[in-house]
Amino acid sequence: MKTTAADILEVIRSHILSDSFKERHKKSEKWFTRNKVFSFYITFALTLNLLRKTLQIELYNFLQPHDLSLATKQAFCRARQKISLAAYIEINQILIKEFYKTHSVNLFWSFRLLLIDGSNLLLPDTFFIREKFGACSNGLIKDHCAMAKASHVY
């Protein structure tokens, strides 16, 4: 039996709502102890939501059904910084594990075929970035700029 997206989301949801997950991934024992608008679970769920509009509009739309629409974007940003990066990595690992339990990988001549798209990114021109990553020029302009390469695997 194939695992549906709803089944996978339910596993992830139950994992996120567990107290052990919250305790492992808040950056300090003092944080997320009181019942505020941006609890650990609401903050985590909102960061997983794809934000397409301004942050204040997204907060209003997300929190309005719960009568919590008076929350500020500054309060959300502070709450978001209190969650460790490892929480998102753990949820991603669970998603991958649950998906591949019942889905097979298609192979091309016994190889897994991956597509990679690359881009050049213009970085902010600061002393630290130039010292760390260097700078480049296209030969036509005298000024150098900090650049980075980015790749995305499909």
Side-chain angles (χ1 to χ4, degrees), residues 85-138:
L85 175 63
Y88 301 97
I89 295 170
E90 183 176 327
I91 292 300
N92 188 46
Q93 293 299 322
I94 292 169
L95 172 68
I96 291 167
K97 184 182 79 171
E98 290 296 320
F99 179 81
Y100 284 114
K101 273 184 182 177
T102 55
H103 293 79
S104 62
V105 177
N106 294 330
L107 301 177
F108 178 74
W109 290 1
S110 302
F111 292 101
R112 186 174 179 186
L113 185 62
L114 302 172
L115 303 172
I116 301 173
D117 182 27
S119 297
N120 292 323
L121 305 173
L122 181 62
L123 299 175
D125 194 20
T126 64
F127 176 76
F128 172 75
I129 290 177
R130 280 184 178 228
E131 285 294 313
K132 184 75 174 172
F133 301 105
C136 64
S137 173
N138 65 2

Side-chain angles (χ1 to χ4, degrees), residues 50-66:
L50 291 175
L51 303 177
R52 291 187 175 90
K53 300 175 184 165
T54 66
L55 184 54
Q56 192 63 52
I57 292 172
E58 290 287 350
L59 289 174
Y60 180 78
N61 291 340
F62 188 83
L63 299 173
Q64 186 180 20
H66 309 289

Side-chain angles (χ1 to χ4, degrees), residues 36-72:
K36 291 187 169 188
V37 172
F38 290 114
S39 67
F40 179 86
Y41 310 111
I42 287 178
T43 304
F44 195 79
L46 190 53
T47 57
L48 290 178
N49 198 19
L50 291 175
L51 303 177
R52 291 187 175 90
K53 300 175 184 165
T54 66
L55 184 54
Q56 192 63 52
I57 292 172
E58 290 287 350
L59 289 174
Y60 180 78
N61 291 340
F62 188 83
L63 299 173
Q64 186 180 20
H66 309 289
D67 291 330
L68 301 172
S69 58
L70 297 176
T72 65

Side-chain angles (χ1 to χ4, degrees), residues 5-38:
D7 297 334
I8 294 172
L9 289 176
E10 185 55 39
V11 169
I12 291 172
R13 181 182 174 278
S14 65
H15 197 77
I16 290 171
L17 292 176
S18 70
D19 287 333
S20 62
F21 181 78
K22 173 184 164 183
E23 293 303 317
R24 275 194 319 275
H25 296 298
K26 60 183 185 177
K27 289 184 177 178
S28 171
E29 291 180 16
K30 295 184 265 183
W31 292 337
F32 298 113
T33 56
R34 295 184 285 170
N35 290 330
K36 291 187 169 188
V37 172
F38 290 114

